[in-house]
């Protein structure tokens, strides 16, 4: 899978998808300690105490997992300044990125609503599902799960072409100890995009 992709957000901003690097750590820290990120992706690590050390560990682990295969991670960055706007990843089913993968993403709070995440999701979908003979990675299927209250993420999923397939009940553990339903999406390489 290509480590560098380029795209353009709806506001005209040129966006690069590239490997994370240590210089991204302060922006990762800001994004992962942000209340909305914590609300939807909160855990024993992603919470209001998320530190610069956590961010460096996240970056190092992402690079290690990419090198090992079965996982792909891109920093979503402003093409002009290289500033990190967000992160997007694919986790391959069964430990490799050959057939089916789960998409995940988050945006830095300062760029939300600019459609940079949507542009990144469209670019990753294209890269993943375009047949190998046409220069893509030739995956067959992508999946995504989104908490029912996470409207921004649902918009990104739908703009990237994902198809709503169902709902799992009380399947997502939130940071406050409660559980919420998740919407399930998938996208086949054969679906219209
Ligand atoms: C979900 C998230 C990645 C969306 O990022 P974003 O940068 O706002 O996405 P975009 O700018 O591409 O916006 C996509 C659309 O959703 C809308 N949107 C974004 N946040 C919204 C919200 N909280 N409520 C309603 N609509 C929202 C945008 O206005 C845009 O709509 P449009 O296409 O009609 O203009 C971001 O809010 C985030 O990082 N959330 C915390 C982490 C998270 O939830 N990750 C996903 C887990 S499944």
């Amino acid at each position: 899978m290509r480590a560098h992709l380029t795209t353009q957000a709806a506001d005209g901003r040129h966006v690069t998808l590239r490997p994370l690097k240590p210089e991204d750590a302060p922006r990762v820290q800001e994004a992962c300690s942000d209340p909305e990120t914590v609300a939807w992706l909160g855990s024993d690590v992603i919470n209001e105490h998320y530190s610069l050390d956590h961010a460096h560990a996240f970056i190092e682990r992402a690079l290690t997992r990419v090198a090992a295969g079965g996982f792909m991670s891109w920093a979503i960055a402003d093409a002009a300044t290289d500033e990190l706007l967000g992160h997007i990843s694919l986790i391959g089913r069964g430990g490799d990125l050959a057939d089916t993968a789960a998409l995940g993403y988050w945006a830095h709070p300062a760029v939300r609503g600019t459609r940079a995440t949507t542009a990144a999701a469209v670019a990753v979908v294209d890269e993943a599902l375009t047949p190998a003979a046409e220069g893509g990675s030739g995956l067959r299927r992508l999946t995504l799960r989104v908490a029912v209250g996470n409207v921004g993420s649902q918009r990104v999923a739908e703009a990237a072409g994902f198809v709503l397939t169902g709902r799992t009940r009380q399947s997502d553990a939130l940071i406050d100890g409660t559980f919420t339903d998740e919407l399930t999406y998938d996208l086949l390489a054969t679906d219209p995009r």
Side-chain angles (χ1 to χ4, degrees):
M1 206 161 280
R2 285 183 295 164
H4 291 85
L5 304 172
T6 54
T7 184
Q8 197 171 358
D11 65 356
R13 187 205 302 247
H14 290 271
V15 173
T16 303
L17 273 62
R18 56 153 176 83
L20 286 162
K21 53 189 182 185
E23 293 78 3
D24 295 324
R27 294 278 287 184
V28 171
Q29 187 207 352
E30 287 165 11
C32 292
S33 56
D34 165 73
E36 194 160 335
T37 309
V38 172
W40 300 120
L41 298 176
S43 68
D44 52 346
V45 174
I46 297 178
N47 55 53
E48 75 262 42
H49 305 298
Y50 193 94
S51 67
L52 208 49
D53 284 348
H54 285 124
H56 280 291
F58 167 76
I59 293 165
E60 205 171 300
R61 181 165 150 71
L63 297 176
T64 303
R65 289 177 72 193
V66 170
F71 178 72
M72 197 60 199
S73 147
W74 292 270
I76 307 167
D78 185 307
T81 64
D82 202 36
E83 185 175 52
L84 181 128
L85 308 176
H87 179 256
I88 187 160
S89 63
L90 289 172
I91 302 175
R93 192 185 66 179
D96 61 23
L97 276 170
D99 179 76
T100 299
L103 184 69
Y105 42 73
W106 48 255
H108 187 280
V111 304
R112 287 184 192 151
T114 64
R115 297 202 187 148
T117 310
T118 294
V122 169
V124 167
V125 162
D126 274 349
E127 169 67 13
L129 297 183
T130 297
E134 294 168 27
S137 297
L139 268 63
R140 186 179 61 85
R141 179 169 180 261
L142 297 177
T143 63
L144 183 58
R145 299 170 73 98
V146 183
V148 284
N150 194 347
V151 178
S153 182
Q154 291 159 29
R155 291 264 170 80
V156 172
E158 284 154 19
F162 278 83
V163 176
L164 181 64
T165 58
R167 178 176 181 132
T168 55
R169 293 186 304 157
Q170 303 287 302
S171 50
D172 190 17
L174 299 178
I175 191 80
D176 63 4
T178 62
F179 291 85
T180 187
D181 295 2
E182 290 172 291
L183 301 180
T184 57
Y185 292 88
D186 67 20
L187 179 55
L188 302 178
T190 50
D191 284 337
R193 281 187 278 124

